[in-house]
Amino acid sequence: MAAHLKKRVYEEFSRVVQITHEEAPAKKLRLSKPSKSAALHIDLCKATNSTDALQYLLHFARKPVEVESVEGVVRILLEHYYKETDNSVRLKIASLLGLLSKTQGFSPDCIVDDAINTLNNEKSHQVLAQLLDTLLVIGTQLPESPTVRLRLIQMACKHLSDTYFGVRNKCLKLLGCLGTVDAPLTKDNEGAGTSLGDVRDVQTIISDYFGDQDPRVRTAALKAMLQLHERGMKIHEIIYDQACRLLTDDYEQVRSAAVQMVWVLSQLYPESIVPIPSSNEEIRLVDDAFGKISHMVSDGSWMVRVQAAKTLGSMLQVSPHFLEQTLDKKLMSDLRRKRTAHERAKELFTSGEFSSGRKWADDAPKEKLDRNTVYLIASGACGAFVHGLEDEMFEVRIAAVDALSKLARSSPSFAEKCLDFLVDMFNDEIEEVRLQSIHVLREISTHITLREDQLDTVLAVLEDSSRDIREALHELICYTNVSTKECVQLALLELLKNLNKYPTDRNSVWKCLKFLGSRHPTLVLPLVPELLSTHPYFDTPEPDMDDPAYIAVLVLVFNAAKSCPTMPALFSDHTFRHYAYLRDSLSHLVPPLRLPGNGLDLVDSRCSSGSVESAQLFLQQSLNRVSTIQNLEAPGAQELLNFTIRDLQRLGELQMELAGAADFCATYLRCQLLLMKALQEKLWNMAVPLCLKQNVTATAAAQQILEETYKLEFLYGGLESRQVATIHHVRLQAKALQLVLTARTRQGLDPLISSCEKFLQDIESFQRLFLAELPHLQDSFVDTLLELMPRLSSCKPVEMVKILQTTLRQSGLLQLRLPEQIHRATATIIEPTGESDNPLRFTTGLVVALDIDATLEHVQDPQNTVKVQVLYPDGQSHVIHPKPGDFRKPAPDRHRLITQVYLSHTAWTEPSQIEVRLLLAYSSSSTTSLSAPKLGWSDSVDGLQSPEAAVEGTIPFSKPVKVYIMPKPARR
């Protein structure tokens, strides 16, 4: 009986427990990260001494802190700050408070009171300076809180009397960054603090510390005043005298900041009148500042000299006679105060000296100069640029050359006067100075004409071993005017010597002579018989057309003949034949000439003014005509696309100004043609086994469309968001075609599922990237997909493929809208030419250096995108990334690549050719990264998939050049 009762009790208890378990709600587990503040509190509590606490704080500073944990961490740090007695630990805590206040998404207004309280109770000067730095960070993070800003300014004013220079520095910096800019403080706030009367004029407070005993504080005061200027506050004119006195300070940092301060005031008050000390004369403030800064070009510190020279270049409002005085070490007469004849006569009368009559005109008024003569400009400022150009430090010389360039561009008369000084700099011992002086003379070449002696000095630089120097000089001669025909002859002879000594300069010399001839046709005319070796009675031998020097002479003559119609009468018969040959082979150097009577009546219609406009109209009409293919049958539409592509390619060859736009449109239409052929009716109405060949063709077309879209996106510059969206739209169509073809030809469900998921991510990425452009893509392929997005996300892969196939075949051509200007990135390999039959011989296992010289046009960031590819006959391919120093930038949209490629291979039995070409590297992540959301510290990256995997590749954008090489077996 007892056993039976016990059994029933057990069953009843089990039933109750089971009911309880069923009724109890299931508990959900939530994974949370450990609190940073709790971990920091535990670590600081474990610290037994200040060294351990400092180590824990240093370790904590290396870890990121979530936004929601910042306030708790700050409270723990402040709690430990009040307990800590060691200065170094408190200093580190104050530093951490400033770092935490910069956390994105955290508003530091909750810690302002605590930070100010710690500042009031702190005794250590170093910790005080760090706390003021933290307050500055808090103030910059709260720009919309004038109350907080006012309290911080009051704290800065309160501690300005601190004995430690670091505290005064931080106070001045805080005043400069947070001082009132919009309006002075009103009297209603006077009860806010004891020093509020000073706060109303921040500039007065800061200027009081221009005379501080510590030079670091004086520097900080000047920088704080400059900071006020940068923030929009107009500096008071009375500061000018104080800033001028600081130009003679004993410390270079103070003098350097004072130079900037004087310059700022000269720009704010250029026409103000300031008195000259110890005289009754007055002068414009900008002229006075120019003279004082000119004097600083002779400063003892080279850093101050550089600063002064750079500043002079931006003072464009200075009077011309002050400007010209910087080129003469002797003081000009119009910059001295001269006594009147009445004053000199009165002085002579009081001295009792009269004319004796023995000398002629000995009683004429004479100017007597003595040490009491008042100068309008400091004597040390005379010849400021002469001192700067002769300075021992090349940094000062470069700064002086740059300043001369800026001033000469705004004053043609000054440009003429400084010409001799710039030409003298061509002989500087530092290559960088020589190169900069050549560039400067090129910039002001429109204002000057070189004399023969000056040209002789300029042309002497052609002997320089530096290629950059020689090419810069060629560029200078292109845009320089010379005065006589002897100058033209001298320039030609020196350039021919340069060509003989450095044959690799051939293209640069030819281009230089092209511009020299076109700028001086009347000076070249009397030289033609001598240059072409013609004789009025005797026939002269025909020169060799393979001679680069003879081609150089012809380029000079033909470009001069374009503006001189009487010159062709002096040509020989073979000269006309040579013209026809060069016009075809070097059309970029030889202009079209009208040569009647010789069968060469050539007029270039491309040079007419209206040709570009008509070509643009033709381009737009071609695009409009293509938009009507929706109404045509497939054969007619494909034929129209073929004809339009052919027309656009020809247009790009005829009109160089529209080459980029024409090529861009032709490539886009080629993508549409490939897509149309891949979606033709025959392929999709047949069973898969019956159209294997067509499937292969369609797959190749889809891959080619993808490659062409990457060319469209990365090979052309000047694209707007609308064009980029159109390119991505075509790329999405190609990916949809690839997905459909994959489903038709491959077996297995797993690859199809992953491909469908990837395609859905591509659609979402497109929507996120081009949200603003979606209204312009109505009734397009992507617009239909976005409408069907809920269905695509929930359907099976097979059904999704059917939807894509139907949508693809029903989608039409998306109209392309051209932007204002499209440029195609191009590269031209100058060296090697590929014309030599002599192979480069080297021993197997060793290397041979191949010099590469190429011109790059419209390439963005070439240091990271341009690569050199070498293809060997056996199929091997090497890709070399040039060093950043191998790139030069001679013009805004042009780069020059001069590098060496090292070749090596196993032994060959006979010479063979390798191919060298330039590649443009791209990565599609550069587009997706523009709109990708930034992740915070607390966001998990593991579960976040990239919407579009970065596709990296290279695009050939230069014609390949073939070079003979011959690896020889090693000798045993």
Side-chain angles (χ1 to χ4, degrees), residues 294-493:
S294 297
H295 182 68
M296 301 306 292
V297 177
S298 304
D299 193 86
S301 169
W302 70 270
M303 296 180 66
V304 177
R305 298 200 298 271
V306 169
Q307 177 74 36
K310 288 181 177 178
T311 306
L312 286 178
S314 57
M315 302 184 72
L316 305 180
Q317 298 170 298
V318 69
S319 302
H321 51 278
F322 278 87
L323 196 57
E324 294 164 8
Q325 178 63 68
T326 57
L327 299 175
D328 193 352
K329 289 184 178 180
K330 295 180 180 179
L331 188 63
M332 296 178 183
S333 60
D334 56 353
L335 292 179
R336 287 193 297 257
R337 178 186 177 273
K338 296 181 284 292
R339 290 171 297 172
T340 63
H342 178 73
E343 291 174 336
R344 291 194 296 270
K346 182 179 179 181
E347 181 182 355
L348 190 63
F349 176 77
T350 54
S351 64
E353 297 178 4
F354 291 93
S355 171
S356 61
R358 294 180 180 179
K359 293 182 180 181
W360 174 256
D362 63 348
D363 58 344
K366 297 178 181 179
E367 180 184 8
K368 182 180 180 182
L369 300 178
D370 56 18
R371 67 183 63 186
N372 296 323
T373 303
V374 177
Y375 297 113
L376 304 186
I377 186 172
S379 59
C382 298
F385 282 123
V386 180
H387 292 298
L389 295 174
E390 295 174 352
D391 199 277
E392 60 179 349
M393 304 297 291
F394 81 93
E395 293 90 349
V396 181
R397 300 201 295 274
I398 289 179
V401 168
D402 287 339
L404 274 178
S405 166
K406 295 175 183 176
L407 294 170
R409 284 201 298 267
S410 63
S411 174
S413 61
F414 183 71
E416 293 179 6
K417 290 181 171 61
C418 70
L419 178 60
D420 285 327
F421 298 95
L422 286 173
V423 170
D424 286 342
M425 297 306 293
F426 286 12
N427 299 319
D428 195 275
E429 60 183 0
I430 303 297
E431 178 180 337
E432 188 177 351
V433 179
R434 298 199 300 272
L435 191 60
Q436 187 64 24
S437 59
I438 293 173
H439 287 321
V440 165
L441 197 57
R442 155 74 182 86
E443 291 172 358
I444 65 173
S445 58
T446 54
H447 300 306
I448 58 175
T449 299
L450 289 178
R451 302 189 309 269
E452 189 170 353
D453 58 318
Q454 293 170 335
L455 183 65
D456 198 14
T457 305
V458 169
L459 293 174
V461 185
L462 290 173
E463 299 289 329
D464 200 297
S465 60
S466 170
R467 186 172 190 158
D468 293 337
I469 295 288
R470 298 197 306 272
E471 291 187 352
L473 195 67
H474 295 157
E475 190 80 12
L476 167 63
I477 298 174
C478 286
Y479 299 99
T480 300
N481 298 315
V482 296
S483 53
T484 62
K485 67 182 181 67
E486 286 76 14
C487 292
V488 174
Q489 192 169 20
L490 176 63
L492 176 63
L493 292 177

Side-chain angles (χ1 to χ4, degrees), residues 709-710 713-714 719-721 724-725 727-728 731 765-766 768-770 922-933 947-951:
T709 57
Y710 287 118
E713 184 175 1
F714 297 104
L719 299 180
E720 299 171 357
S721 179
V724 179
I727 294 168
H728 278 252
R731 189 178 302 163
S765 172
F766 185 94
R768 178 172 48 81
L769 283 170
F770 304 108
Y922 67 86
S923 173
S924 63
S925 61
S926 60
T927 303
T928 57
S929 63
L930 294 178
S931 56
E948 182 180 356
V951 178

